[in-house]
Amino acid sequence: MLGAGLSAEDHRLVAAAATSFLKPTVWKIAYASLKLPPWTPHPGSLRMTRASRDLRDVAARALARGREQSAEGKNLLGRLMAATDPVSGEAMPESLIIDNLVTFLLAGHETTAQALTWTLYLLALFPEWQERARAEVMAVAGGKVGREHLPQLPLIESIFQEAMRLYPPAPSLARVAKSATSLGGRELKAGATIIIPIYVVHRHERLWTDPLRFDPARFAPEAKASRHRCAYMPFGAGPRTCIGATFAMLEGKAMLATLLSRARFELPPGEVPVPFARVTLRPQGLRLKVSLLD
Ligand code: HEM
């Protein structure tokens, strides 16, 4: 996406920044509801500021490399560099390009990583589904997954989707009412916060049959067609829906298929990951036994 590859140190900084940044967000949310100024200190605020600076530094280095290699138009970075304001015709200021890159780095890395983590957990928990998924990959790609195989992996896709139903990487979204309105028969004042509890919607018994059961068959085309379009929204819905959704599905399928073609995943006895929601939904630690296939 960035054209110029990130260094190993930059990769480490992005992964570490995600943790430092996401953990204390609960304070930011609490302070915002209490209408405290955003700079009010809280546990982890220093680490958060440092993580934010690290991410911006990584983005600034990527931008500098992009400029050196005049990557205009070739990838996401090039497109941001080439973009102009449709009204003023002006190019994006450097700080706005960096803001966008930071958003993409954080929104793109953490969510997909958590979706894959939960998928591997569920496949270790239900080895019969893992074997079926591996059989599909082997039949289609014979152990070397390429981009041409991705449209031919419906079971891998259904498994990834079902994992994001039970463990949505973004477990809730929030909106603020710009003006007074009514929603579902309730009156809302201007400025009211609306929480959209995706995790709950995905497990609601009025929307799903036997909602707590892991069943990838829910994502067969016929089953999908009969569902309310907002019963499943791991990528959100409406005008601000995830801009990376199609890319994330491709990336998730490619990684899952590659991992399953090379290794078997098992759950050590007594391993029960506890979901921990801080903007994203992570397991509070998860160990899997990984054995390479012959
Ligand atoms: C499994 C992976 C992913 C999940 C579950 C996910 C989920 C979401 C959700 C729920 C939103 C909407 C937030 C809202 O409505 O307030 C969102 C927005 C966004 N996502 Fe993703 N995302 C994923 C992967 C990615 C990837 C790979 C990228 C970039 C390459 C990305 C970039 C973004 C950006 C930039 C936004 C903000 C869009 C806007 O406000 O217009 N996401 N994502």
Side-chain angles (χ1 to χ4, degrees):
M1 272 192 342
L2 302 180
L6 296 183
S7 68
E9 175 59 8
D10 283 353
H11 275 283
R12 196 195 59 76
L13 284 174
V14 173
T19 301
S20 317
F21 203 77
L22 294 178
K23 268 196 175 163
T25 45
V26 67
W27 289 99
K28 293 273 179 235
I29 295 167
Y31 282 14
S33 355
L34 296 171
K35 305 213 181 322
L36 290 172
W39 44 259
T40 315
H42 55 73
S45 49
L46 265 181
R47 228 177 317 129
M48 210 171 186
T49 312
R50 236 177 283 132
S52 150
R53 203 186 47 218
D54 285 347
L55 276 174
R56 295 186 71 81
D57 287 350
V58 171
R61 281 197 283 278
L63 177 58
R65 266 198 304 271
R67 290 217 195 280
E68 261 165 43
Q69 297 167 4
S70 50
E72 255 140 68
K74 290 195 199 129
N75 47 46
L76 176 75
L77 176 57
R79 280 166 188 250
L80 289 171
M81 279 159 47
T84 49
D85 186 311
V87 179
S88 67
E90 280 174 22
M92 258 196 223
E94 184 128 322
S95 65
L96 192 55
I97 298 184
I98 291 176
D99 284 347
N100 272 286
L101 290 177
V102 167
T103 306
F104 274 100
L105 282 172
L106 210 58
H109 176 273
E110 168 72 13
T111 44
T112 316
Q114 299 314 328
L116 279 167
T117 302
W118 289 112
T119 308
L120 290 178
Y121 160 64
L122 287 164
L123 289 180
L125 189 62
F126 300 107
E128 63 285 6
W129 281 108
Q130 184 175 157
E131 285 314 318
R132 282 172 68 178
R134 183 170 297 110
E136 181 182 77
V137 177
M138 292 310 201
V140 170
K144 183 144 181 39
V145 181
R147 77 164 69 174
E148 68 282 11
H149 302 124
L150 297 183
Q152 303 166 52
L153 297 170
L155 181 59
I156 295 283
E157 181 164 322
S158 302
I159 287 174
F160 194 56
Q161 286 176 316
E162 174 68 343
M164 287 196 290
R165 180 184 71 83
L166 284 169
Y167 297 101
S172 68
L173 296 178
R175 293 289 187 270
V176 174
K178 281 177 89 174
S179 52
T181 184
S182 68
L183 188 66
R186 281 174 196 273
E187 296 307 315
L188 299 178
K189 292 185 186 147
T193 302
I194 303 156
I195 307 282
I196 306 153
I198 296 181
Y199 182 92
V200 178
V201 172
H202 283 186
R203 290 169 175 241
H204 205 294
E205 52 189 26
R206 294 228 301 264
L207 298 167
W208 302 90
T209 314
D210 203 358
L212 301 187
R213 196 157 68 90
F214 174 68
D215 181 10
R218 300 178 201 273
F219 290 91
E222 328 73 73
K224 277 202 279 197
S226 60
R227 243 183 337 255
H228 189 284
R229 68 189 177 89
C230 288
Y232 183 67
M233 42 179 179
F235 297 109
R240 302 311 294 251
T241 189
C242 177
I243 199 170
T246 309
F247 178 75
M249 284 306 298
L250 276 179
E251 186 187 24
K253 273 166 70 177
M255 287 202 249
L256 198 53
T258 305
L259 289 170
L260 289 174
S261 70
R262 310 249 176 96
R264 178 166 287 109
F265 298 86
E266 289 165 276
L267 213 51
E271 186 72 14
V272 182
V274 178
F276 181 73
R278 288 290 181 275
V279 184
T280 56
L281 190 68
R282 291 176 162 202
Q284 234 172 6
L286 170 64
R287 289 176 312 132
L288 291 180
K289 182 177 168 211
V290 183
S291 327
L292 290 181
L293 298 173
D294 301 328

